[in-house]
């Protein structure tokens, strides 16, 4: 959940935990390049060539295209919300709890694992270099610490110290190391192109371009995909880079493009510029696996092995510097938002760096590098990043919906929301691929996520809620029910929503929770609101008597917050609420609640007279004394239909209503199909009593489906025939929303009667994805149908 003290995309924290903008475009560009090259360009490329042959170049290009979908989401959000935390921050803004904590928890581990791997890889490269100069790598310090482990831990300690010293120093060091790294890579590429220029038959090395087929290309993609995800490190600089709206998108796209070209060129010259006897060049490289590029370099240029080892050392150092920086920023952001101990957000007075987060991340990194089986743990980093990227793509969709034009973007994703949706499917697809090929990666990830849930429920959640929306008064019954209803206290009409809650609580043997939010101005400490707690407590007394009379369990909560939405969302999760009953306009005007609420909703619009109390009519004689009201149900079989039918049954069982179901047909079915579909849908629902319910149907024309004003007019004219006293409808009818479409909102106010808009909870973004898949499926079926008709016509003509 977002910090209520801040505008979207700005840092709201006090000066003692703000970072300083001291990095330029070159600095963050080098950070991204360093993270994406790492040691992978020398280590993974050889193995990938063994899997795909010359077609490894195609694998690199396809990976770049695939990762571009997620990179665009990072560029958009990084320019609009440039703060430390990156993906964690955006998931916090766009997805419900506990997504933010889990994303940060996963990202922190993944960055630390990556840093540990780079440190160990650096030590391995250095030991290899010492070996080649006849200095034994088996040196043992005090017969206890292997030299390789000592070097790895020392390198981590050095870069942790460097990061604490200052962001500017870290950036300058990163620039120098990365430029040296690029220089060594360019030497290899230039030497290879020179050799190929003097060998007219170099093209023969690519004659069998795809020796292992498509499966080999896919395997190479799975191995190397994660190497192109340096944009997660780039966005961690968001709070320390100058002009982030311009520089972050530029750094992401330039670094991604440059690194893909470098990977392709290294593979190209390694295969094309060597001519081993009796064996294809790609196979010669592939047999050597991780040492393949070094073996090729030995044939390519004098001292080629030294160049590769030196390049590997420099590359891993540059990547270690980048991941030390990024892991600390994730921990810093989580501490600042109370998802980790707040001490993690401490800033060094002189250096202006998050020194506590750097120290803790560095210590864990060193422990991993020294004592844990990194080869087994490292496989989880790929799955973790893929799951994080999936969450970020989902958050990109919801953040646009929540903030709209309030954010200033340096880059906006084109073809929105199709691009992030494709990104979601691609990342999940690759994650499933890793499940099949490396099940251990998923096992480690699941264990880490479960540990995160445990930490979140026992510690983090309470700390976070107590900071953003603390409870100052809590009264009510000690006993709890399984079904829990929440209503927000409205001083101007405190029992308007309560009568709906009472009816529903009786039907579900549930409890009612009443929340009153004391809203404090953003510039004022929350403690200033405690003075109103006693007054707020007294306001519950009339409601308490009414609920006790109805024999319904109840609880009263008073929260203080800068943001009423935050208090409602916190209460829903904390109290495990099943149903929120709220005012229609309150819900409609809060994009945040609409987007990340995690329970079903009944939004009540009270127009006209409400002459009913929903008290159950016990017998037929009592029913005769009541003049039954017309309850009209708008039903379209859509995503919210279950809640619509439940709400209908809850009110119908009071005996006060004559129920009319108005089925809105948005499809072109023949009569038999329509009757079967309506009947099947209603038979599956046990919510409605079948006696006394009338079914009617209207069909929206093609024109209605295109224009919301025509659809609204058609529905309104049909409703007028029933003279409804109360209407129940789902949040949407086909693609039209009662909360956002102006013509459908106007329809509600034209009815002049109470209206209940029911909305079913769904994971943010899933409804949109389901809708697009459904449209795509219908489009494909229609094209197949058209094609079948064409084939039949052609067949008939040929027979005649």
């Amino acid at each position: 959940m977002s910090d209520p003290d801040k505008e979207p995309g700005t840092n709201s924290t006090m000066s003692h935990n703000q970072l300083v903008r001291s990095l330029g475009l070159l600095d963050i560009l080098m950070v991204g390049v360093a993270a994406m090259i790492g040691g992978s360009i020398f280590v993974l490329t050889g193995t990938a060539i063994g899997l795909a042959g010359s077609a490894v170049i195609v694998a690199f290009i396809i990976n770049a295209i695939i990762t571009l979908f997620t990179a665009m989401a990072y560029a958009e959000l990084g320019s609009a919300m440039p703060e430390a935390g990156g993906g964690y921050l955006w998931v916090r803004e766009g997805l419900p709890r506990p997504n933010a904590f889990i994303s940060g928890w996963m990202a922190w581990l993944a960055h630390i694992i990556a840093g540990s791997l780079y440190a160990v890889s650096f030590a391995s490269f250095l030991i290899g270099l010492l070996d080649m100069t006849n200095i034994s790598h088996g040196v043992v310090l005090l017969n206890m610490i292997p030299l390789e482990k000592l070097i790895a831990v020392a390198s981590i300690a050095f870069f942790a110290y460097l990061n604490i010293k200052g962001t500017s120093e870290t950036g300058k060091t990163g620039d120098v190391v990365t430029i040296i790294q690029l220089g060594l890579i360019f030497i290899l590429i230039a030497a290879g192109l020179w050799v190929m220029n003097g060998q007219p038959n170099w093209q023969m090395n690519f004659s069998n371009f795809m020796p292992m087929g498509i499966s080999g290309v896919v395997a190479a993609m799975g191995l190397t995909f994660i190497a192109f995800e340096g944009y997660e490190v780039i966005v961690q600089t968001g709070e320390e880079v100058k002009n982030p709206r311009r520089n972050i998108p530029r750094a992401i796209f330039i670094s991604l493009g440059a690194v893909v070209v470098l990977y392709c060129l290294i593979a190209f010259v390694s295969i094309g510029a060597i001519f081993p006897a009796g064996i294809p060049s790609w196979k010669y490289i592939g047999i050597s696996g991780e040492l393949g590029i070094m073996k090729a370099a030995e044939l390519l240029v004098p001292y080629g092995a030294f160049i590769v080892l030196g390049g590997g050392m420099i590359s891993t150092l540059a990547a270690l510097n980048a991941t030390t920086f990024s892991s600390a920023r994730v921990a810093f952001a989580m501490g600042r938002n109370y998802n980790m101990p707040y001490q993690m957000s401490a800033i060094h007075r002189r250096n202006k760096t998050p020194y506590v987060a750097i120290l803790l991340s560095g210590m864990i990194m060193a422990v991993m590098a020294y004592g844990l089986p990194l080869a087994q743990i490292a496989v989880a980093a790929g799955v973790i990043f893929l799951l994080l990227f999936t969450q970020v793509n989902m958050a990109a969709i919801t953040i646009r919906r929540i903030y709209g034009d309030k954010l200033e973007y340096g880059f906006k994703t084109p073809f929105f929301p199709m691009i992030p949706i494709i990104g979601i499917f691609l990342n999940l697809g690759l994650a499933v691929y890793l499940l099949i090929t490396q099940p251990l990666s998923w096992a480690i990830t699941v264990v880490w996520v479960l540990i995160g849930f445990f930490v979140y429920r026992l510690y983090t959640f309470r700390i976070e809620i107590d900071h953003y929306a603390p409870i100052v008064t809590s009264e009510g019954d000690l006993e709890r029910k399984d079904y829990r209803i929440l209503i927000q206290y409205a001083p101007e009409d405190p029992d308007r929503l309560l009568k709906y809650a009472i009816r529903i609580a009786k039907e579900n043997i549930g409890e009612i929770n009443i929340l009153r939010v004391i809203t404090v101005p953003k510039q004022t400490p929350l403690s200033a609101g405690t003075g109103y707690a006693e007054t707020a407590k007294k306001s519950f007394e009339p409601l308490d008597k009414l609920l006790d009379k109805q024999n319904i369990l109840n609880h009263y909560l008073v929260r203080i917050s800068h943001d009423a939405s935050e208090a409602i969302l916190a209460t829903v999760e904390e109290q495990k609420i099943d149903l929120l009953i709220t005012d229609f306009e309150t819900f409609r005007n809060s994009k945040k609640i609409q987007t990340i609420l995690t329970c079903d909703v009944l939004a009540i619009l009270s127009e006209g007279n409400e002459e009913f109390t929903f008290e159950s009519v016990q017998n037929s004689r009592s029913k005769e004394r009541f003049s039954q009201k017309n309850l009209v149900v708008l039903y379209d079989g859509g995503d919210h239909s279950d809640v619509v039918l439940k709400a209908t049954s809850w009110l119908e069982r009071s005996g006060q209503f004559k129920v009319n179901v108005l089925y809105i047909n948005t499809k072109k079915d023949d009569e038999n199909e329509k009757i079967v579909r309506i009947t099947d849908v209603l038979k599956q629902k046990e919510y409605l009593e079948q006696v006394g319910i009338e079914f009617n149907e209207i069909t929206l024309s093609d024109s209605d489906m295109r224009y919301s004003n025509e659809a609204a007019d058609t529905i309104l004219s049909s409703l007028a025939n029933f003279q409804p006293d109360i209407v129940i409808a789902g949040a949407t009818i086909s693609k039209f929303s009662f909360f956002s479409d102006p013509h459908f909102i106007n329809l509600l106010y034209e009815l002049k009667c109470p209206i209940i808009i029911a909305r079913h909870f769904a994971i943010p973004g899933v409804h949109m994805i389901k809708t697009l898949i459904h449209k795509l499926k219908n489009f494909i079926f229609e094209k197949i149908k058209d094609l079948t008709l064409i084939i039949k016509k052609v067949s008939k003509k040929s027979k005649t």
Side-chain angles (χ1 to χ4, degrees):
M1 311 303 105
S2 64
D3 186 339
D5 289 339
K6 70 181 177 185
E7 293 300 320
T10 63
N11 193 311
S12 65
T13 51
M14 301 297 289
S15 60
H16 71 273
N17 60 355
Q18 282 183 327
L19 300 172
V20 177
R21 297 194 181 278
S22 58
L23 300 176
L25 174 60
L26 178 63
D27 298 319
I28 63 172
L29 183 60
M30 293 297 104
V31 165
V33 169
M36 282 189 263
I37 290 178
S40 301
I41 198 166
F42 299 113
V43 177
L44 293 183
T45 304
T47 305
I49 289 173
L51 292 171
S54 305
V56 71
I57 297 170
V58 175
F60 289 151
I61 294 171
I62 295 174
N63 271 343
I65 294 170
I66 290 174
T67 198
L68 184 62
F69 289 97
T70 299
M72 283 192 275
Y74 268 81
E76 174 176 312
L77 295 175
S79 70
M81 295 180 170
E83 292 187 33
Y88 155 77
L89 170 73
W90 309 325
V91 172
R92 179 180 175 80
E93 291 288 341
L95 297 180
R97 295 183 178 95
N99 278 280
F101 175 81
I102 295 302
S103 69
W105 182 254
M106 291 193 301
W108 190 42
L109 176 68
H111 286 289
I112 287 175
I113 290 174
S116 303
L117 274 174
Y118 293 134
V120 171
S121 298
F122 165 71
S124 298
F125 279 120
L126 180 57
I127 294 296
L129 196 59
L130 294 176
D131 250 5
M132 296 184 69
T133 55
N134 297 319
I135 300 176
S136 174
H137 68 282
V139 177
V140 177
L141 183 64
L142 299 178
N143 295 318
M144 293 176 62
I145 306 176
L147 182 59
E148 185 175 335
K149 298 290 187 181
L150 178 64
I151 293 171
V153 172
S155 63
I156 292 170
F158 172 76
F159 280 105
Y161 170 77
L162 188 66
N163 272 263
I164 290 173
K165 283 292 292 179
T167 301
S168 180
E169 288 81 356
T170 302
K172 289 175 183 176
T173 303
D175 292 350
V176 171
V177 173
T178 305
I179 289 170
I180 295 172
Q181 160 191 267
L182 292 174
L184 293 173
I185 292 172
F186 286 140
I187 289 172
L188 278 180
I189 293 171
L193 293 174
W194 177 269
V195 170
M196 292 168 70
N197 186 55
Q199 292 285 345
N201 296 325
W202 65 265
Q203 296 95 332
M204 295 301 295
N205 285 347
F206 297 93
S207 58
N208 187 7
F209 187 72
M210 197 179 294
M212 309 303 289
I214 296 294
S215 61
V217 175
V218 173
M221 287 172 58
L223 176 69
T224 59
F225 176 80
I226 207 65
F228 300 106
E229 313 301 337
Y231 42 76
E232 165 63 19
V233 179
I234 290 174
V235 297
Q236 299 297 341
T237 68
E239 206 165 315
E240 294 158 277
V241 63
K242 302 170 185 175
N243 196 357
R245 288 189 176 85
R246 185 192 68 172
N247 287 334
I248 286 180
R250 286 186 177 185
I252 287 174
F253 294 127
I254 293 172
S255 62
L256 181 59
V259 167
V260 171
V261 171
L262 290 176
Y263 269 87
C264 290
L265 286 174
I266 284 290
F268 179 69
V269 299
S270 297
I271 296 170
I274 65 172
F275 305 90
I279 186 173
S281 58
W282 71 267
K283 187 172 287 187
Y284 175 82
I285 295 170
I287 288 172
S288 301
E290 294 179 352
L291 300 177
I293 299 300
M294 188 174 74
K295 293 293 184 182
E298 288 177 337
L299 301 179
L300 184 63
V301 65
Y303 304 104
F306 281 98
I307 294 175
V308 170
L309 285 173
M313 284 175 52
I314 298 298
S315 297
T316 50
L317 283 179
L320 175 58
N321 182 47
T323 49
T324 301
F325 179 93
S326 60
S327 61
R329 268 53 184 183
V330 174
F332 165 78
M334 293 183 74
R336 186 165 62 182
N337 289 292
Y338 296 87
N339 280 154
M340 278 191 177
Y342 189 69
Q343 291 78 3
M344 299 283 279
S345 66
I347 298 292
H348 196 283
R349 289 185 180 180
R350 184 176 68 254
N351 300 331
K352 302 300 180 183
T353 54
Y355 68 101
V356 175
I358 294 170
L359 281 173
L360 181 60
S361 299
M363 289 170 62
I364 297 173
M365 204 179 290
V367 169
M368 279 191 174
Y370 177 77
L372 295 182
L374 268 181
Q376 285 74 35
I377 296 174
V379 297
V383 175
I384 289 172
F385 275 123
L386 289 170
L387 294 179
L388 173 64
F389 299 152
T390 300
Q391 288 179 301
V392 168
N393 277 297
M394 295 175 68
I397 296 171
T398 57
I399 285 172
R400 279 250 199 135
R401 181 181 178 189
I402 293 171
Y403 292 117
D405 296 331
K406 293 180 182 178
L407 294 176
E408 294 182 27
Y409 294 94
F411 169 83
K412 292 191 80 170
T413 303
F415 306 109
F416 192 88
M418 284 305 302
I419 294 296
I421 289 174
I422 293 172
I424 290 170
F425 281 109
L426 291 173
N427 286 309
L428 289 177
L430 285 167
V432 172
Y433 172 79
L434 290 177
L435 174 63
I436 297 169
T437 58
Q438 295 179 334
L440 180 62
S441 64
W442 269 89
I444 295 171
T445 301
V446 169
V447 168
W448 182 250
V449 169
L450 289 176
I451 293 172
F453 272 116
F454 185 76
V455 172
Y456 176 77
R457 294 309 308 181
L458 289 186
Y459 171 76
T460 301
F461 175 68
R462 175 52 53 198
I463 298 297
E464 183 183 12
I465 295 302
D466 286 346
H467 175 74
Y468 289 111
I471 292 178
V472 292
T473 297
S474 179
E475 302 284 341
D477 299 298
L478 295 177
E479 184 183 351
R480 303 303 302 262
K481 295 291 186 180
D482 290 336
Y483 192 85
R484 301 176 184 182
I485 302 166
L486 176 68
I487 62 173
Q488 186 176 358
Y489 179 83
E492 64 279 2
D493 192 359
D495 61 347
R496 178 172 67 91
L497 301 177
L498 187 61
K499 61 184 179 182
Y500 293 91
I502 290 172
R503 177 72 245 157
I504 296 169
K506 286 183 176 180
E507 288 296 325
N508 291 279
I509 316 176
E511 66 178 42
I512 296 176
N513 297 267
I514 302 175
L515 172 68
R516 182 161 189 180
V517 182
I518 299 173
T519 306
V520 176
K522 293 181 179 181
Q523 298 78 13
T524 306
L526 291 179
S527 57
T530 56
Y532 301 95
E534 191 62 31
T535 303
K537 181 179 176 182
K538 290 180 180 179
S539 66
F540 290 136
E541 292 178 359
L543 304 182
D544 185 43
K545 292 178 181 178
L546 176 60
L547 289 170
D548 286 343
K549 182 180 177 181
Q550 297 289 339
N551 195 28
I552 294 175
L553 290 183
N554 53 81
H555 305 89
Y556 305 95
L557 305 170
V558 178
R559 290 189 183 272
I560 304 174
S561 183
H562 295 298
D563 180 3
S565 300
E566 181 67 31
I568 293 171
L569 293 168
T571 304
V572 167
E573 183 176 0
E574 179 190 59
Q575 302 297 322
K576 297 180 174 63
I577 298 299
D578 298 287
L579 178 69
L580 171 67
I581 301 178
T582 184
D583 176 72
F584 173 81
E585 286 296 335
T586 300
F587 188 78
R588 184 174 78 86
N589 291 323
S590 177
K591 295 290 186 183
K592 185 175 180 180
I593 292 181
Q594 287 182 46
T595 304
I596 57 180
L597 186 70
T598 55
C599 69
D600 292 341
V601 178
L602 295 183
I604 312 296
L605 177 61
S606 298
E607 287 291 300
N609 296 322
E610 294 187 48
E611 299 177 356
F612 31 84
T613 60
F614 304 119
E615 289 294 329
S616 296
V617 180
Q618 301 297 327
N619 52 57
S620 57
R621 289 185 178 181
S622 299
K623 288 182 181 180
E624 291 173 1
R625 291 197 299 270
F626 280 88
S627 174
Q628 285 192 319
K629 306 294 183 180
N630 286 327
L631 169 59
V632 180
V633 182
L634 294 180
Y635 183 84
D636 69 341
D639 291 321
H640 309 286
S641 297
D642 279 354
V643 185
V644 170
L645 293 175
K646 286 180 183 179
T648 301
S649 70
W650 295 331
L651 270 59
E652 192 275 339
R653 287 172 187 157
S654 69
Q656 296 190 40
F657 298 101
K658 177 184 177 183
V659 178
N660 296 275
V661 176
L662 180 58
Y663 175 73
I664 301 176
N665 184 13
T666 58
K667 301 177 181 179
K668 294 181 179 179
D669 297 334
D670 61 37
E671 193 64 25
N672 291 331
E673 288 177 338
K674 179 182 66 182
I675 292 171
V676 168
R677 184 148 52 84
I678 297 174
T679 303
D680 286 345
V681 167
L682 293 173
K683 279 183 179 178
Q684 292 170 4
K685 310 301 178 183
E686 297 179 358
Y687 313 123
L688 293 177
E689 297 179 6
Q690 298 299 315
V691 180
I693 297 178
E694 294 185 7
F695 297 100
N696 301 271
E697 181 259 341
I698 59 171
T699 300
L700 296 183
S701 66
D702 290 340
S703 180
D704 290 335
M705 294 301 295
R706 281 196 299 270
Y707 305 108
S708 64
N709 61 321
E710 295 187 17
D713 289 343
T714 300
I715 294 170
L716 182 61
S717 61
S718 298
L719 282 171
N721 296 330
F722 295 96
Q723 297 182 338
D725 296 298
I726 185 168
V727 173
I728 300 177
T732 59
I733 291 179
S734 185
K735 63 182 179 181
F736 307 119
S737 170
F738 282 109
F739 294 119
S740 59
D741 189 284
H743 298 104
F744 272 69
I745 295 170
N746 184 63
L747 180 158
L748 300 181
Y749 282 96
E750 288 287 334
L751 289 172
K752 305 297 183 183
C753 70
I755 300 158
I756 301 174
I757 302 298
R759 200 190 77 156
H760 175 60
F761 163 67
I763 299 172
V766 169
H767 172 66
M768 185 179 296
I769 293 169
K770 284 170 61 180
T771 302
L772 288 171
I773 291 173
H774 181 69
K775 289 180 179 179
L776 180 61
K777 182 182 72 174
N778 288 341
F779 174 79
I780 293 171
F781 284 161
E782 286 179 8
K783 294 303 177 185
I784 292 174
K785 189 176 179 180
D786 293 342
L787 183 61
T788 304
L789 290 174
I790 292 171
I791 292 171
K792 286 181 179 179
K793 289 180 181 179
V794 171
S795 178
K796 285 181 180 180
K797 287 182 178 179
S798 63
K799 287 179 180 179
T800 56

